[in-house]
Amino acid sequence: MRFILLFILIIKLITFTFTVHARDKIGLVLSGGGAKGTAHIGVLKVLEQHNIPVDYVVGTSIGAYVAGMYALGYDVDEIETIMLGLPWSDGYSDFIPRESLFYASKQHRDRYNLSIRLGYSDGEFKVPHGLLLGQSAYQILQRSTDTVSSFASFDDLAIPYRAVASDIATAQMVVLDSGSINQAMQASAAVPGIVAAVVIDGKTLVDGGITNNMPIDVVKAMGADIVIAVDIGSPLAGQSELTSTVSVLNQLSTILTNNTSLAKKALLTDKDVLLRPAIDDLSTTDWSVMPQALVLGEQEANAQSAALMKLSISDNDYQAYQNQKKMKARKWFDELPKHIIEIKIRNNSKVENDIIHLHFAVKLGEELSKEALDLAIDRVYALDKFEQVTVEFNDSEQGRVLILHTQAKSWGPNYFDFGFNLKTDFSDQSITSINMSYLMTEVTSNGGRWLNELELGWETLLASEFHQPINKEQDLYTRARVSFAQDKWEKTRLRPELRNDYYLGKLALGYNYSFKGIIELGAVAQTGDLSIDEAGTDDFDYETYGSFLTFGYDTLDSINFPTDGNKLLIEVQWLKDKYSPKLTAAEHDKTLAFTLDWRGAIGFRGHTFVGITSFATIDNETDFSVHVTELGGFLNLSGYQQDALIGVHKVFAAVVYQYDLGRDVPGGSGLPIYLGTSLETGNVWTVDETVKYSDLINSGSIYLGTDTSFGPAALGIGFATGGEYSFFLSVGKNW
């Protein structure tokens, strides 16, 4: 009897094994379609609900992302949670957040506020390979997939996987079947001219939709007997919609991808299933449509449930299939040791490896979460030296080897930057200026930089500055600067126009005590001519020299409309001034000058409070000084025109409240639109005047403003005690 029972059990096991292995293999193909890619998740939900296994999965562009996540072993609910929780719109910008930048880089960006990437080297002007560098997109993918290892073959995943990309040099399809899954996803979605191409094995790869947006042939080549293909490609625009160059270019791209899809759909047979969710009216670039696209994908799969149910297997067989996937996924999610045993740097730049190690700051012997890895990558990328910073892992039974890849900026190492400024109070004169810099980096073996600056317009500046790190850590440095400038103060009801033409030289020893700030000690010399545009008034020639001490600290997330952080600048100068004609019998006028400027912000849920404080004073031996300070203009006694008040002693404070109206715009682009108001008080005094509380002028403003990658803009009205008021428009100026 026992023998009979054993024989029956063996027969059942053989029958079960034969059934599992004898069934047709199902391949899933997920096409590209940008933000509509969540439709693929809706389809996967229905497949799992009906016990439909996926034996092979292939994707293009966003389809490569969803396919890759599923192939790794994430279930559908996990993919939905991850995908809907990611800031996909952040992928449209690779500019480093201001608060993450090095102190000197913050000040440079504030001055050169036009987001133009232009370089010069080897006798030619250079630009990046795409409008976007792909760094933000890469880090979004890294947050999705966790810190998974590179794979010798994507056949080793929970579901065998392929991503389709295009070789931009040969216009041939490239099937990615091994290596970093993040890199494969990124290459498959790199839209030519928009996102920088990805180099893998010497091939320059871009969006797979160009050559194969519906890779049915690829999944069949893997061994699929039956194909489920999900098409979320864009439809052609009607003639009435082709009204601009951009719309025509989009149409050309759609024609190209649709032609590749049509060619591959011809490979489908009667036993295959083609799903086309009703996503034609959804945008490929508006990520707010993702929940809607998911529902539409689910609806389409349910509508074709009769065809799909033919592929369903029993509960027991499907559970065995799921268990097998989980067993394979455990190798990279659970079983292997996760602690870092070695860090290798593949550095394709002139930046010292020690500097990269210092800022990467990942410790050996510890596990690394995807959140910690993201922060470590941010720290290296914030050096603003690289086009991309990426990582990969090689796992072993002893632990993980982390390989950090850094790619130098392709348009470097010398860069042009540009700024623009327009200020008007709608009176007789507007203040306009444009400025440009040419920065040469890595001019010495220790990271020397040579900066040349030009400003034209209402005021003039021509300057050259050399910055030389002293040690390998580059936190100790020397800085030498020479410049010619013409500062001007516009004519007001109380004074004529003033102009100061001068030459300035500085030599400083500095210390970067952190990313957030500097301390500098140095010498300064200046010679110039101060003139007054008034008949019968003589010019003043002057010379000044001495020493200075500067302390700077800066964590503001925006210099224009901050929502978090602080910016503090303190400077003390010990000077000797010589005027012609002489103002005193002494050869020199000894001057001690002190200035302090602070701005801080705290924000929550669109509400922001900003505090501003400014203080300046001098101690000298005459009733005149060329070392002046100003008040007047937006958030600087807003009721007065720009720099209306001039003196040597200054006290100013303001409290600003602003609300981001852009949060309340349905379907908005995410562009902040600030409604703000300010309460301000302050004044300036001349050398021989006593600073009095009773002299303070109260002021305020109401304004609308926005802060974009092309610079800030503000429109509003300012008012002050005494009946002073000013309408103002400011574009491109960091105030």
Side-chain angles (χ1 to χ4, degrees), residues 20-160:
V20 170
H21 290 282
R23 69 171 177 81
D24 287 335
K25 298 296 184 180
I26 300 171
L28 179 64
V29 175
L30 305 180
S31 76
K36 298 178 287 187
T38 47
H40 295 319
I41 297 176
V43 171
L44 287 172
K45 282 190 170 189
V46 175
L47 297 185
E48 290 198 348
Q49 289 168 3
H50 294 305
N51 290 358
I52 299 171
V54 174
D55 301 293
Y56 309 100
V57 60
V58 180
T60 297
S61 194
I62 194 67
Y65 169 82
V66 177
M69 293 290 287
Y70 201 55
L72 279 170
Y74 289 99
D75 63 38
V76 178
D77 291 336
E78 288 173 327
I79 299 173
E80 178 183 356
T81 299
I82 292 170
M83 194 169 181
L84 294 183
L86 288 170
W88 291 95
S89 57
D90 288 357
Y92 293 143
S93 174
D94 286 304
F95 281 92
I96 302 166
R98 185 185 186 277
E99 63 271 22
S100 300
L101 285 169
F102 201 73
Y103 181 88
S105 297
K106 289 185 178 82
Q107 316 316 311
H108 187 80
R109 182 187 289 184
D110 293 345
R111 181 170 176 79
Y112 300 98
N113 51 358
L114 297 182
S115 303
I116 300 173
R117 291 184 172 118
L118 177 65
Y120 182 83
S121 61
D122 303 323
E124 62 179 346
F125 291 97
K126 296 181 178 180
V127 295
H129 297 143
L131 295 177
L132 300 174
L133 306 181
Q135 180 66 28
S136 297
Y138 165 78
Q139 288 187 251
I140 289 172
L141 298 177
Q142 183 269 316
R143 287 176 226 168
S144 300
T145 59
D146 210 334
T147 57
V148 294
S149 172
S150 293
F151 295 91
S153 171
F154 289 157
D155 288 340
D156 298 333
L157 297 177
I159 302 173

Side-chain angles (χ1 to χ4, degrees), residues 545-622:
Y545 64 91
S547 58
F548 66 90
L549 176 65
T550 301
F551 173 84
Y553 175 84
D554 192 348
T555 60
L556 281 183
D557 56 359
S558 168
I559 193 64
N560 311 298
F561 303 103
T563 60
D564 186 60
N566 292 274
K567 184 177 188 292
L568 175 65
L569 181 66
I570 299 174
E571 186 169 53
V572 183
Q573 296 184 84
W574 298 269
L575 304 170
K576 289 186 177 181
D577 302 325
K578 180 180 179 180
Y579 297 103
S580 179
K582 286 186 177 182
L583 300 178
T584 68
E587 181 69 20
H588 293 95
D589 177 18
K590 295 180 180 179
T591 300
L592 172 64
F594 176 84
T595 60
L596 180 151
D597 291 288
W598 168 81
R599 178 174 298 206
I602 183 169
F604 58 95
R605 297 182 180 177
H607 303 274
T608 303
F609 292 92
V610 181
I612 304 172
T613 298
S614 186
F615 176 78
T617 189
I618 68 168
D619 180 17
N620 69 346
E621 300 170 339
T622 70

Side-chain angles (χ1 to χ4, degrees), residues 631-641 645 651-654 680-684 697-700 718-720 726:
L631 276 178
F634 178 43
L635 298 185
N636 198 36
L637 281 189
S638 300
Y640 286 81
Q641 72 181 63
L645 306 178
V651 173
F652 176 76
E680 310 160 29
T681 187
N683 205 346
V684 298
I697 300 169
N698 297 319
S699 182
F719 41 84
S726 174

